[in-house]
mmCIF file with all atom_site columns, all heavy atoms in Angstrom:
data_model
loop_
_atom_site.group_PDB
_atom_site.id
_atom_site.type_symbol
_atom_site.label_atom_id
_atom_site.label_alt_id
_atom_site.label_comp_id
_atom_site.label_asym_id
_atom_site.label_entity_id
_atom_site.label_seq_id
_atom_site.pdbx_PDB_ins_code
_atom_site.Cartn_x
_atom_site.Cartn_y
_atom_site.Cartn_z
_atom_site.occupancy
_atom_site.B_iso_or_equiv
_atom_site.pdbx_formal_charge
_atom_site.auth_seq_id
_atom_site.auth_comp_id
_atom_site.auth_asym_id
_atom_site.auth_atom_id
_atom_site.pdbx_PDB_model_num
ATOM 1   N N   . GLY A 1 1  ? 1.398  -3.796  -0.495  1.00 93.00 ? 852 GLY A N   1
ATOM 2   C CA  . GLY A 1 1  ? 1.653  -4.504  0.774   1.00 93.00 ? 852 GLY A CA  1
ATOM 3   C C   . GLY A 1 1  ? 2.536  -3.649  1.763   1.00 93.00 ? 852 GLY A C   1
ATOM 4   O O   . GLY A 1 1  ? 2.725  -4.051  2.904   1.00 93.00 ? 852 GLY A O   1
ATOM 5   N N   . ALA A 1 2  ? 2.856  -2.407  1.387   1.00 95.00 ? 853 ALA A N   1
ATOM 6   C CA  . ALA A 1 2  ? 3.680  -1.550  2.240   1.00 95.00 ? 853 ALA A CA  1
ATOM 7   C C   . ALA A 1 2  ? 2.826  -1.273  3.555   1.00 95.00 ? 853 ALA A C   1
ATOM 8   O O   . ALA A 1 2  ? 1.605  -1.209  3.444   1.00 95.00 ? 853 ALA A O   1
ATOM 9   C CB  . ALA A 1 2  ? 3.973  -0.243  1.563   1.00 95.00 ? 853 ALA A CB  1
ATOM 10  N N   . LEU A 1 3  ? 3.457  -1.133  4.641   1.00 97.00 ? 854 LEU A N   1
ATOM 11  C CA  . LEU A 1 3  ? 2.719  -0.887  5.854   1.00 97.00 ? 854 LEU A CA  1
ATOM 12  C C   . LEU A 1 3  ? 2.652  0.676   6.115   1.00 97.00 ? 854 LEU A C   1
ATOM 13  O O   . LEU A 1 3  ? 3.615  1.339   5.993   1.00 97.00 ? 854 LEU A O   1
ATOM 14  C CB  . LEU A 1 3  ? 3.519  -1.508  7.076   1.00 97.00 ? 854 LEU A CB  1
ATOM 15  C CG  . LEU A 1 3  ? 3.346  -2.958  7.275   1.00 97.00 ? 854 LEU A CG  1
ATOM 16  C CD1 . LEU A 1 3  ? 4.078  -3.552  8.458   1.00 97.00 ? 854 LEU A CD1 1
ATOM 17  C CD2 . LEU A 1 3  ? 1.929  -3.411  7.275   1.00 97.00 ? 854 LEU A CD2 1
ATOM 18  N N   . LEU A 1 4  ? 1.437  1.073   6.419   1.00 98.00 ? 855 LEU A N   1
ATOM 19  C CA  . LEU A 1 4  ? 1.157  2.454   6.624   1.00 98.00 ? 855 LEU A CA  1
ATOM 20  C C   . LEU A 1 4  ? 0.681  2.646   8.160   1.00 98.00 ? 855 LEU A C   1
ATOM 21  O O   . LEU A 1 4  ? 0.154  1.786   8.704   1.00 98.00 ? 855 LEU A O   1
ATOM 22  C CB  . LEU A 1 4  ? -0.036 2.936   5.712   1.00 98.00 ? 855 LEU A CB  1
ATOM 23  C CG  . LEU A 1 4  ? 0.091  2.596   4.249   1.00 98.00 ? 855 LEU A CG  1
ATOM 24  C CD1 . LEU A 1 4  ? -1.181 3.035   3.506   1.00 98.00 ? 855 LEU A CD1 1
ATOM 25  C CD2 . LEU A 1 4  ? 1.307  3.290   3.692   1.00 98.00 ? 855 LEU A CD2 1
ATOM 26  N N   . THR A 1 5  ? 0.958  3.862   8.608   1.00 98.00 ? 856 THR A N   1
ATOM 27  C CA  . THR A 1 5  ? 0.471  4.206   9.933   1.00 98.00 ? 856 THR A CA  1
ATOM 28  C C   . THR A 1 5  ? -0.210 5.582   9.832   1.00 98.00 ? 856 THR A C   1
ATOM 29  O O   . THR A 1 5  ? 0.143  6.395   9.016   1.00 98.00 ? 856 THR A O   1
ATOM 30  C CB  . THR A 1 5  ? 1.585  4.317   11.018  1.00 98.00 ? 856 THR A CB  1
ATOM 31  O OG1 . THR A 1 5  ? 2.617  5.126   10.515  1.00 98.00 ? 856 THR A OG1 1
ATOM 32  C CG2 . THR A 1 5  ? 2.146  2.892   11.190  1.00 98.00 ? 856 THR A CG2 1
ATOM 33  N N   . CYS A 1 6  ? -1.196 5.782   10.724  1.00 98.00 ? 857 CYS A N   1
ATOM 34  C CA  . CYS A 1 6  ? -1.889 7.103   10.812  1.00 98.00 ? 857 CYS A CA  1
ATOM 35  C C   . CYS A 1 6  ? -1.656 7.578   12.246  1.00 98.00 ? 857 CYS A C   1
ATOM 36  O O   . CYS A 1 6  ? -1.689 6.812   13.201  1.00 98.00 ? 857 CYS A O   1
ATOM 37  C CB  . CYS A 1 6  ? -3.416 6.861   10.532  1.00 98.00 ? 857 CYS A CB  1
ATOM 38  S SG  . CYS A 1 6  ? -4.320 8.386   10.767  1.00 98.00 ? 857 CYS A SG  1
ATOM 39  N N   . SER A 1 7  ? -1.409 8.890   12.310  1.00 98.00 ? 858 SER A N   1
ATOM 40  C CA  . SER A 1 7  ? -1.149 9.471   13.654  1.00 98.00 ? 858 SER A CA  1
ATOM 41  C C   . SER A 1 7  ? -2.395 9.325   14.587  1.00 98.00 ? 858 SER A C   1
ATOM 42  O O   . SER A 1 7  ? -2.141 9.462   15.837  1.00 98.00 ? 858 SER A O   1
ATOM 43  C CB  . SER A 1 7  ? -0.705 10.967  13.481  1.00 98.00 ? 858 SER A CB  1
ATOM 44  O OG  . SER A 1 7  ? -1.772 11.638  12.790  1.00 98.00 ? 858 SER A OG  1
ATOM 45  N N   . PHE A 1 8  ? -3.519 9.069   14.080  1.00 98.00 ? 859 PHE A N   1
ATOM 46  C CA  . PHE A 1 8  ? -4.672 8.912   14.954  1.00 98.00 ? 859 PHE A CA  1
ATOM 47  C C   . PHE A 1 8  ? -5.229 7.490   14.912  1.00 98.00 ? 859 PHE A C   1
ATOM 48  O O   . PHE A 1 8  ? -6.254 7.129   15.505  1.00 98.00 ? 859 PHE A O   1
ATOM 49  C CB  . PHE A 1 8  ? -5.831 9.942   14.646  1.00 98.00 ? 859 PHE A CB  1
ATOM 50  C CG  . PHE A 1 8  ? -5.433 11.307  15.056  1.00 98.00 ? 859 PHE A CG  1
ATOM 51  C CD1 . PHE A 1 8  ? -5.359 12.352  14.052  1.00 98.00 ? 859 PHE A CD1 1
ATOM 52  C CD2 . PHE A 1 8  ? -5.201 11.625  16.354  1.00 98.00 ? 859 PHE A CD2 1
ATOM 53  C CE1 . PHE A 1 8  ? -5.053 13.571  14.490  1.00 98.00 ? 859 PHE A CE1 1
ATOM 54  C CE2 . PHE A 1 8  ? -4.886 12.923  16.745  1.00 98.00 ? 859 PHE A CE2 1
ATOM 55  C CZ  . PHE A 1 8  ? -4.769 13.909  15.761  1.00 98.00 ? 859 PHE A CZ  1
ATOM 56  N N   . GLY A 1 9  ? -4.625 6.616   14.175  1.00 98.00 ? 860 GLY A N   1
ATOM 57  C CA  . GLY A 1 9  ? -5.082 5.214   14.066  1.00 98.00 ? 860 GLY A CA  1
ATOM 58  C C   . GLY A 1 9  ? -4.496 4.335   15.149  1.00 98.00 ? 860 GLY A C   1
ATOM 59  O O   . GLY A 1 9  ? -3.486 4.719   15.700  1.00 98.00 ? 860 GLY A O   1
ATOM 60  N N   . MET A 1 10 ? -5.164 3.297   15.474  1.00 98.00 ? 861 MET A N   1
ATOM 61  C CA  . MET A 1 10 ? -4.664 2.444   16.549  1.00 98.00 ? 861 MET A CA  1
ATOM 62  C C   . MET A 1 10 ? -3.939 1.206   16.089  1.00 98.00 ? 861 MET A C   1
ATOM 63  O O   . MET A 1 10 ? -3.406 0.425   16.848  1.00 98.00 ? 861 MET A O   1
ATOM 64  C CB  . MET A 1 10 ? -5.872 1.998   17.437  1.00 98.00 ? 861 MET A CB  1
ATOM 65  C CG  . MET A 1 10 ? -6.533 3.179   18.091  1.00 98.00 ? 861 MET A CG  1
ATOM 66  S SD  . MET A 1 10 ? -7.861 2.666   19.239  1.00 98.00 ? 861 MET A SD  1
ATOM 67  C CE  . MET A 1 10 ? -6.975 1.919   20.570  1.00 98.00 ? 861 MET A CE  1
ATOM 68  N N   . ALA A 1 11 ? -3.906 0.989   14.740  1.00 98.00 ? 862 ALA A N   1
ATOM 69  C CA  . ALA A 1 11 ? -3.149 -0.157  14.183  1.00 98.00 ? 862 ALA A CA  1
ATOM 70  C C   . ALA A 1 11 ? -2.607 0.196   12.797  1.00 98.00 ? 862 ALA A C   1
ATOM 71  O O   . ALA A 1 11 ? -3.204 1.068   12.162  1.00 98.00 ? 862 ALA A O   1
ATOM 72  C CB  . ALA A 1 11 ? -4.012 -1.397  14.135  1.00 98.00 ? 862 ALA A CB  1
ATOM 73  N N   . PRO A 1 12 ? -1.525 -0.398  12.357  1.00 97.00 ? 863 PRO A N   1
ATOM 74  C CA  . PRO A 1 12 ? -1.132 -0.190  11.032  1.00 97.00 ? 863 PRO A CA  1
ATOM 75  C C   . PRO A 1 12 ? -2.069 -0.759  9.943   1.00 97.00 ? 863 PRO A C   1
ATOM 76  O O   . PRO A 1 12 ? -2.910 -1.547  10.270  1.00 97.00 ? 863 PRO A O   1
ATOM 77  C CB  . PRO A 1 12 ? 0.244  -0.901  10.951  1.00 97.00 ? 863 PRO A CB  1
ATOM 78  C CG  . PRO A 1 12 ? 0.217  -1.924  12.017  1.00 97.00 ? 863 PRO A CG  1
ATOM 79  C CD  . PRO A 1 12 ? -0.711 -1.347  13.057  1.00 97.00 ? 863 PRO A CD  1
ATOM 80  N N   . SER A 1 13 ? -1.850 -0.364  8.726   1.00 97.00 ? 864 SER A N   1
ATOM 81  C CA  . SER A 1 13 ? -2.672 -0.857  7.663   1.00 97.00 ? 864 SER A CA  1
ATOM 82  C C   . SER A 1 13 ? -1.751 -1.125  6.453   1.00 97.00 ? 864 SER A C   1
ATOM 83  O O   . SER A 1 13 ? -0.643 -0.653  6.374   1.00 97.00 ? 864 SER A O   1
ATOM 84  C CB  . SER A 1 13 ? -3.649 0.289   7.257   1.00 97.00 ? 864 SER A CB  1
ATOM 85  O OG  . SER A 1 13 ? -4.457 -0.108  6.159   1.00 97.00 ? 864 SER A OG  1
ATOM 86  N N   . ALA A 1 14 ? -2.226 -1.914  5.537   1.00 95.00 ? 865 ALA A N   1
ATOM 87  C CA  . ALA A 1 14 ? -1.386 -2.296  4.348   1.00 95.00 ? 865 ALA A CA  1
ATOM 88  C C   . ALA A 1 14 ? -1.886 -1.448  3.121   1.00 95.00 ? 865 ALA A C   1
ATOM 89  O O   . ALA A 1 14 ? -3.120 -1.318  2.920   1.00 95.00 ? 865 ALA A O   1
ATOM 90  C CB  . ALA A 1 14 ? -1.477 -3.719  4.054   1.00 95.00 ? 865 ALA A CB  1
ATOM 91  N N   . LEU A 1 15 ? -0.978 -0.964  2.318   1.00 97.00 ? 866 LEU A N   1
ATOM 92  C CA  . LEU A 1 15 ? -1.307 -0.282  1.082   1.00 97.00 ? 866 LEU A CA  1
ATOM 93  C C   . LEU A 1 15 ? -1.605 -1.350  0.000   1.00 97.00 ? 866 LEU A C   1
ATOM 94  O O   . LEU A 1 15 ? -0.887 -2.318  -0.118  1.00 97.00 ? 866 LEU A O   1
ATOM 95  C CB  . LEU A 1 15 ? -0.096 0.571   0.595   1.00 97.00 ? 866 LEU A CB  1
ATOM 96  C CG  . LEU A 1 15 ? -0.305 1.349   -0.711  1.00 97.00 ? 866 LEU A CG  1
ATOM 97  C CD1 . LEU A 1 15 ? -1.304 2.448   -0.551  1.00 97.00 ? 866 LEU A CD1 1
ATOM 98  C CD2 . LEU A 1 15 ? 1.026  1.833   -1.216  1.00 97.00 ? 866 LEU A CD2 1
ATOM 99  N N   . VAL A 1 16 ? -2.698 -1.075  -0.698  1.00 96.00 ? 867 VAL A N   1
ATOM 100 C CA  . VAL A 1 16 ? -3.103 -1.948  -1.818  1.00 96.00 ? 867 VAL A CA  1
ATOM 101 C C   . VAL A 1 16 ? -2.873 -1.198  -3.134  1.00 96.00 ? 867 VAL A C   1
ATOM 102 O O   . VAL A 1 16 ? -3.443 -0.150  -3.378  1.00 96.00 ? 867 VAL A O   1
ATOM 103 C CB  . VAL A 1 16 ? -4.565 -2.353  -1.692  1.00 96.00 ? 867 VAL A CB  1
ATOM 104 C CG1 . VAL A 1 16 ? -4.973 -3.241  -2.873  1.00 96.00 ? 867 VAL A CG1 1
ATOM 105 C CG2 . VAL A 1 16 ? -4.850 -3.050  -0.408  1.00 96.00 ? 867 VAL A CG2 1
ATOM 106 N N   . VAL A 1 17 ? -1.937 -1.741  -3.982  1.00 94.00 ? 868 VAL A N   1
ATOM 107 C CA  . VAL A 1 17 ? -1.700 -1.173  -5.248  1.00 94.00 ? 868 VAL A CA  1
ATOM 108 C C   . VAL A 1 17 ? -2.398 -2.054  -6.262  1.00 94.00 ? 868 VAL A C   1
ATOM 109 O O   . VAL A 1 17 ? -2.071 -3.258  -6.396  1.00 94.00 ? 868 VAL A O   1
ATOM 110 C CB  . VAL A 1 17 ? -0.198 -1.111  -5.576  1.00 94.00 ? 868 VAL A CB  1
ATOM 111 C CG1 . VAL A 1 17 ? 0.030  -0.527  -6.964  1.00 94.00 ? 868 VAL A CG1 1
ATOM 112 C CG2 . VAL A 1 17 ? 0.517  -0.239  -4.507  1.00 94.00 ? 868 VAL A CG2 1
ATOM 113 N N   . THR A 1 18 ? -3.485 -1.577  -6.934  1.00 87.00 ? 869 THR A N   1
ATOM 114 C CA  . THR A 1 18 ? -4.283 -2.330  -7.814  1.00 87.00 ? 869 THR A CA  1
ATOM 115 C C   . THR A 1 18 ? -3.513 -2.587  -9.171  1.00 87.00 ? 869 THR A C   1
ATOM 116 O O   . THR A 1 18 ? -2.609 -1.806  -9.557  1.00 87.00 ? 869 THR A O   1
ATOM 117 C CB  . THR A 1 18 ? -5.568 -1.667  -8.084  1.00 87.00 ? 869 THR A CB  1
ATOM 118 O OG1 . THR A 1 18 ? -5.407 -0.309  -8.488  1.00 87.00 ? 869 THR A OG1 1
ATOM 119 C CG2 . THR A 1 18 ? -6.384 -1.714  -6.782  1.00 87.00 ? 869 THR A CG2 1
ATOM 120 N N   . PRO A 1 19 ? -3.814 -3.696  -9.808  1.00 77.00 ? 870 PRO A N   1
ATOM 121 C CA  . PRO A 1 19 ? -3.044 -4.110  -10.969 1.00 77.00 ? 870 PRO A CA  1
ATOM 122 C C   . PRO A 1 19 ? -3.112 -3.251  -12.272 1.00 77.00 ? 870 PRO A C   1
ATOM 123 O O   . PRO A 1 19 ? -2.307 -3.479  -13.162 1.00 77.00 ? 870 PRO A O   1
ATOM 124 C CB  . PRO A 1 19 ? -3.545 -5.552  -11.251 1.00 77.00 ? 870 PRO A CB  1
ATOM 125 C CG  . PRO A 1 19 ? -4.854 -5.548  -10.730 1.00 77.00 ? 870 PRO A CG  1
ATOM 126 C CD  . PRO A 1 19 ? -4.824 -4.586  -9.544  1.00 77.00 ? 870 PRO A CD  1
ATOM 127 N N   . GLU A 1 20 ? -3.943 -2.291  -12.316 1.00 74.00 ? 871 GLU A N   1
ATOM 128 C CA  . GLU A 1 20 ? -4.049 -1.524  -13.516 1.00 74.00 ? 871 GLU A CA  1
ATOM 129 C C   . GLU A 1 20 ? -2.721 -0.750  -13.895 1.00 74.00 ? 871 GLU A C   1
ATOM 130 O O   . GLU A 1 20 ? -2.513 -0.278  -15.031 1.00 74.00 ? 871 GLU A O   1
ATOM 131 C CB  . GLU A 1 20 ? -5.220 -0.584  -13.552 1.00 74.00 ? 871 GLU A CB  1
ATOM 132 C CG  . GLU A 1 20 ? -5.208 0.600   -12.594 1.00 74.00 ? 871 GLU A CG  1
ATOM 133 C CD  . GLU A 1 20 ? -5.939 0.316   -11.300 1.00 74.00 ? 871 GLU A CD  1
ATOM 134 O OE1 . GLU A 1 20 ? -6.313 -0.796  -11.103 1.00 74.00 ? 871 GLU A OE1 1
ATOM 135 O OE2 . GLU A 1 20 ? -6.115 1.228   -10.518 1.00 74.00 ? 871 GLU A OE2 1
ATOM 136 N N   . LYS A 1 21 ? -1.854 -0.510  -12.940 1.00 62.00 ? 872 LYS A N   1
ATOM 137 C CA  . LYS A 1 21 ? -0.603 0.208   -13.205 1.00 62.00 ? 872 LYS A CA  1
ATOM 138 C C   . LYS A 1 21 ? 0.360  -0.583  -14.004 1.00 62.00 ? 872 LYS A C   1
ATOM 139 O O   . LYS A 1 21 ? 1.107  -0.096  -14.897 1.00 62.00 ? 872 LYS A O   1
ATOM 140 C CB  . LYS A 1 21 ? 0.112  0.609   -11.840 1.00 62.00 ? 872 LYS A CB  1
ATOM 141 C CG  . LYS A 1 21 ? -0.745 1.435   -10.925 1.00 62.00 ? 872 LYS A CG  1
ATOM 142 C CD  . LYS A 1 21 ? -0.823 2.843   -11.345 1.00 62.00 ? 872 LYS A CD  1
ATOM 143 C CE  . LYS A 1 21 ? -1.554 3.759   -10.396 1.00 62.00 ? 872 LYS A CE  1
ATOM 144 N NZ  . LYS A 1 21 ? -3.003 3.550   -10.375 1.00 62.00 ? 872 LYS A NZ  1
ATOM 145 N N   . ARG A 1 22 ? 0.530  -1.927  -13.684 1.00 71.00 ? 873 ARG A N   1
ATOM 146 C CA  . ARG A 1 22 ? 1.396  -2.793  -14.341 1.00 71.00 ? 873 ARG A CA  1
ATOM 147 C C   . ARG A 1 22 ? 2.817  -2.416  -14.382 1.00 71.00 ? 873 ARG A C   1
ATOM 148 O O   . ARG A 1 22 ? 3.570  -2.699  -15.304 1.00 71.00 ? 873 ARG A O   1
ATOM 149 C CB  . ARG A 1 22 ? 0.919  -3.074  -15.799 1.00 71.00 ? 873 ARG A CB  1
ATOM 150 C CG  . ARG A 1 22 ? -0.435 -3.776  -15.805 1.00 71.00 ? 873 ARG A CG  1
ATOM 151 C CD  . ARG A 1 22 ? -0.754 -4.223  -17.282 1.00 71.00 ? 873 ARG A CD  1
ATOM 152 N NE  . ARG A 1 22 ? -2.061 -4.858  -17.300 1.00 71.00 ? 873 ARG A NE  1
ATOM 153 C CZ  . ARG A 1 22 ? -3.193 -4.227  -17.556 1.00 71.00 ? 873 ARG A CZ  1
ATOM 154 N NH1 . ARG A 1 22 ? -3.203 -2.991  -17.953 1.00 71.00 ? 873 ARG A NH1 1
ATOM 155 N NH2 . ARG A 1 22 ? -4.318 -4.900  -17.562 1.00 71.00 ? 873 ARG A NH2 1
ATOM 156 N N   . VAL A 1 23 ? 3.305  -1.629  -13.407 1.00 81.00 ? 874 VAL A N   1
ATOM 157 C CA  . VAL A 1 23 ? 4.707  -1.287  -13.226 1.00 81.00 ? 874 VAL A CA  1
ATOM 158 C C   . VAL A 1 23 ? 5.149  -1.985  -11.975 1.00 81.00 ? 874 VAL A C   1
ATOM 159 O O   . VAL A 1 23 ? 4.566  -1.873  -10.947 1.00 81.00 ? 874 VAL A O   1
ATOM 160 C CB  . VAL A 1 23 ? 4.858  0.281   -13.091 1.00 81.00 ? 874 VAL A CB  1
ATOM 161 C CG1 . VAL A 1 23 ? 6.374  0.610   -12.784 1.00 81.00 ? 874 VAL A CG1 1
ATOM 162 C CG2 . VAL A 1 23 ? 4.417  0.931   -14.388 1.00 81.00 ? 874 VAL A CG2 1
ATOM 163 N N   . MET A 1 24 ? 6.294  -2.679  -12.123 1.00 76.00 ? 875 MET A N   1
ATOM 164 C CA  . MET A 1 24 ? 6.778  -3.453  -11.035 1.00 76.00 ? 875 MET A CA  1
ATOM 165 C C   . MET A 1 24 ? 8.099  -2.853  -10.455 1.00 76.00 ? 875 MET A C   1
ATOM 166 O O   . MET A 1 24 ? 8.837  -2.263  -11.182 1.00 76.00 ? 875 MET A O   1
ATOM 167 C CB  . MET A 1 24 ? 7.093  -4.911  -11.463 1.00 76.00 ? 875 MET A CB  1
ATOM 168 C CG  . MET A 1 24 ? 5.903  -5.590  -12.123 1.00 76.00 ? 875 MET A CG  1
ATOM 169 S SD  . MET A 1 24 ? 4.528  -5.777  -11.034 1.00 76.00 ? 875 MET A SD  1
ATOM 170 C CE  . MET A 1 24 ? 4.900  -7.406  -10.424 1.00 76.00 ? 875 MET A CE  1
ATOM 171 N N   . SER A 1 25 ? 8.307  -3.069  -9.127  1.00 75.00 ? 876 SER A N   1
ATOM 172 C CA  . SER A 1 25 ? 9.464  -2.629  -8.460  1.00 75.00 ? 876 SER A CA  1
ATOM 173 C C   . SER A 1 25 ? 9.801  -3.733  -7.412  1.00 75.00 ? 876 SER A C   1
ATOM 174 O O   . SER A 1 25 ? 8.926  -4.048  -6.638  1.00 75.00 ? 876 SER A O   1
ATOM 175 C CB  . SER A 1 25 ? 9.329  -1.279  -7.742  1.00 75.00 ? 876 SER A CB  1
ATOM 176 O OG  . SER A 1 25 ? 10.504 -0.912  -7.119  1.00 75.00 ? 876 SER A OG  1
ATOM 177 N N   . SER A 1 26 ? 10.943 -4.336  -7.522  1.00 72.00 ? 877 SER A N   1
ATOM 178 C CA  . SER A 1 26 ? 11.241 -5.512  -6.605  1.00 72.00 ? 877 SER A CA  1
ATOM 179 C C   . SER A 1 26 ? 10.174 -6.571  -6.785  1.00 72.00 ? 877 SER A C   1
ATOM 180 O O   . SER A 1 26 ? 9.810  -7.191  -5.772  1.00 72.00 ? 877 SER A O   1
ATOM 181 C CB  . SER A 1 26 ? 11.403 -5.020  -5.159  1.00 72.00 ? 877 SER A CB  1
ATOM 182 O OG  . SER A 1 26 ? 12.436 -4.200  -5.000  1.00 72.00 ? 877 SER A OG  1
ATOM 183 N N   . MET A 1 27 ? 9.693  -6.812  -8.008  1.00 79.00 ? 878 MET A N   1
ATOM 184 C CA  . MET A 1 27 ? 8.822  -7.847  -8.327  1.00 79.00 ? 878 MET A CA  1
ATOM 185 C C   . MET A 1 27 ? 7.376  -7.700  -7.724  1.00 79.00 ? 878 MET A C   1
ATOM 186 O O   . MET A 1 27 ? 6.633  -8.590  -7.520  1.00 79.00 ? 878 MET A O   1
ATOM 187 C CB  . MET A 1 27 ? 9.345  -9.273  -7.998  1.00 79.00 ? 878 MET A CB  1
ATOM 188 C CG  . MET A 1 27 ? 10.570 -9.537  -8.826  1.00 79.00 ? 878 MET A CG  1
ATOM 189 S SD  . MET A 1 27 ? 11.405 -11.093 -8.503  1.00 79.00 ? 878 MET A SD  1
ATOM 190 C CE  . MET A 1 27 ? 10.108 -12.274 -8.271  1.00 79.00 ? 878 MET A CE  1
#
C-alpha cells in the first residue's frame, strides 16, 4: 500500500506486496 511516484507519471500509484513473502512490518 505504499505510495509511489514516477517522474514522468501524472498520478501516484500504490505498491502491491503479494502474500507469498509472509513477512510483516507494522502488521
Side-chain angles (χ1 to χ4, degrees):
L854 286 182
L855 309 176
T856 55
C857 175
S858 56
F859 289 119
M861 294 182 75
S864 178
L866 178 70
V867 177
V868 180
T869 52
E871 67 262 12
K872 304 279 187 289
R873 295 189 182 95
V874 175
M875 305 295 266
S876 181
S877 297
M878 298 176 41

